[in-house]
């Protein structure tokens, strides 16, 4: 693993950093494949948006890119974290707080064995309701940790988090997509959840295919009646769901169609390190 803090190799953060004290910051997780970063500009736009939403000014994209180019990994998982910086105990943000950028470079995970799809479950942990943080990928991910701790069965790929009303919000590590009457839908994230880059990419791909797209309140019963269900994030790409509880889905022509359209977008939207 390569760890950088403000572009310098480091193995620790100051204990006064607000990321340690409060989870005060934002992050993105992305991949490097064959020396290129798919959807780099989208990732940077999301990072800057999320940082601004909680009052942190993100460094320019080229600063992050220089950190990565200094090590030029051919293939890797990259986690970019932006903390608010250091402060004394207490929630008040000092006027002179200086953000820290953290870059972690690790090997890519093994590819997902997609086949006809993966098995998922419903989590008992509920997604929290906080409109001001809705969609933001902030550093306080405790509810995701609790949700993922609910199972040890390796056959379970991910778990779905429902909100206080019982509607589907997201997976513990993924966004949710479903095919309904020829339209690609995803849960509305106006009260919680993370709006991932691949969620946006899938919508762009579907639009390119001439499909209708939209956000909607997705009850569990509505999800179970969908023609097809997928999970997505920047590391796993688009993964079809084969089973949830007693409901099962078979391979669908849209699996390949949507995956190929996403790959075509990636080819156009890759930032090369060299």
């Amino acid at each position: 693993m390569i760890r950088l803090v403000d572009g310098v190799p480091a193995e620790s953060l100051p204990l006064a950093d607000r990321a340690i004290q409060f989870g005060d910051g934002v992050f993105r997780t992305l991949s490097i494949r064959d020396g290129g970063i798919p959807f780099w500009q989208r990732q940077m736009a999301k990072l800057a948006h999320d940082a601004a939403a909680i009052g942190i000014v993100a460094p320019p994209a080229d600063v992050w890119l220089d950190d990565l180019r200094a090590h030029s990994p051919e293939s890797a998982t990259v986690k970019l974290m932006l903390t608010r910086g250091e402060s004394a105990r207490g929630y008040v943000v000092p006027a002179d707080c200086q953000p820290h950028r953290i870059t972690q470079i690790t090997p890519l995970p093994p590819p997902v064995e997609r086949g006809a799809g993966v098995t998922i479950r419903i989590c008992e942990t509920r997604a929290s309701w906080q409109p001001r943080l809705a969609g933001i990928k902030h550093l306080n991910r405790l509810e995701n940790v609790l949700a993922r701790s609910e199972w040890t069965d390796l056959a379970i790929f991910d778990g779905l988090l429902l909100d206080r009303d019982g509607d589907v919000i997201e997976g513990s590590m993924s966004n949710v997509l479903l095919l309904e009457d020829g339209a690609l839908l995803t849960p509305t994230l106006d009260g919680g959840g993370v709006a991932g880059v691949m969620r946006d990419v899938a919508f762009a791909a579907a639009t390119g295919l001439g499909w209708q797209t939209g956000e909607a309140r997705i009850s569990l019963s509505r999800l179970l009646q969908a023609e097809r269900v997928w999970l997505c994030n920047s590391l796993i790409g688009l993964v079809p769901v084969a089973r949830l509880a007693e409901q099962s889905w078979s391979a669908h022509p849209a699996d390949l169609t949507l995956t190929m359209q996403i790959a075509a977008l990636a080819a156009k939207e890759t930032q090369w390190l060299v």
Side-chain angles (χ1 to χ4, degrees):
M1 178 186 288
I2 298 171
R3 298 184 180 95
L4 308 173
V5 176
D6 298 329
V8 178
E11 291 297 326
S12 62
L13 272 180
L15 293 178
D17 194 286
R18 293 175 66 89
I20 296 173
Q21 296 193 71
F22 313 115
D24 191 355
V26 295
F27 75 103
R28 306 304 309 171
T29 304
L30 47 92
S31 63
I32 299 176
R33 300 179 187 275
D34 299 322
I37 308 171
F39 308 114
W40 171 254
Q41 294 299 329
R42 292 178 187 263
Q43 294 281 5
M44 290 294 97
K46 282 284 191 183
L47 182 65
H49 170 273
D50 290 359
I54 61 171
I56 301 175
V57 178
D62 285 349
V63 173
W64 296 102
L65 199 56
D66 287 344
D67 289 347
L68 295 173
R69 280 177 168 155
H71 297 275
S72 297
E74 273 293 304
S75 297
T77 298
V78 177
K79 185 172 183 178
L80 306 177
M81 291 174 277
L82 185 64
T83 82
R84 196 181 299 275
E86 300 168 42
S87 74
R89 188 197 65 79
Y91 297 132
V92 176
V93 178
D96 60 351
C97 220
Q98 295 297 312
H100 290 307
R101 72 180 190 277
I102 303 168
T103 304
Q104 291 185 351
I105 304 172
T106 58
L108 283 171
V112 178
E113 294 294 333
R114 286 167 170 79
V118 297
T119 298
I120 61 176
R121 55 162 288 168
I122 301 296
C123 294
E124 294 180 11
T125 303
R126 292 294 177 110
S128 61
W129 183 85
Q130 177 47 265
R132 187 168 179 184
L133 296 176
I136 296 171
K137 202 165 190 176
H138 54 78
L139 287 172
N140 193 327
R141 308 316 309 168
L142 186 55
E143 67 188 51
N144 303 75
V145 172
L146 294 176
R148 183 57 187 87
S149 69
E150 291 182 19
W151 76 92
T152 57
D153 184 355
L154 297 179
I156 304 296
F157 182 74
D158 200 4
L160 299 184
L161 278 74
L162 310 181
D163 67 7
R164 59 185 183 174
D165 297 319
D167 290 335
V168 177
I169 296 298
E170 61 188 359
S172 73
M173 64 166 186
S174 60
N175 282 129
V176 179
L177 303 164
L178 60 145
L179 188 64
E180 182 183 275
D181 297 327
L184 186 69
L185 301 178
T186 194
T188 300
L189 301 181
D190 57 0
V194 173
V197 164
M198 284 305 299
R199 179 178 183 262
D200 291 347
V201 168
F203 266 35
T207 299
L209 291 168
W211 300 2
Q212 295 296 311
T213 63
E215 297 182 349
R217 302 291 177 192
I218 306 294
S219 65
L220 185 55
S221 61
R222 185 175 182 177
L223 182 89
L224 292 173
Q225 293 170 21
E227 186 176 346
R228 194 55 161 148
V229 177
W230 297 278
L231 303 180
C232 65
N233 71 29
S234 292
L235 293 183
I236 64 175
L238 185 75
V239 175
V241 173
R243 180 173 296 278
L244 171 59
E246 300 304 315
Q247 178 64 31
S248 61
W249 291 269
S250 301
H252 191 286
D255 295 339
L256 181 59
T257 303
L258 191 55
T259 297
M260 290 182 65
Q261 187 72 2
I262 289 172
L265 283 179
K268 297 177 181 177
E269 298 185 33
T270 292
Q271 172 67 58
W272 301 101
L273 292 178
V274 293

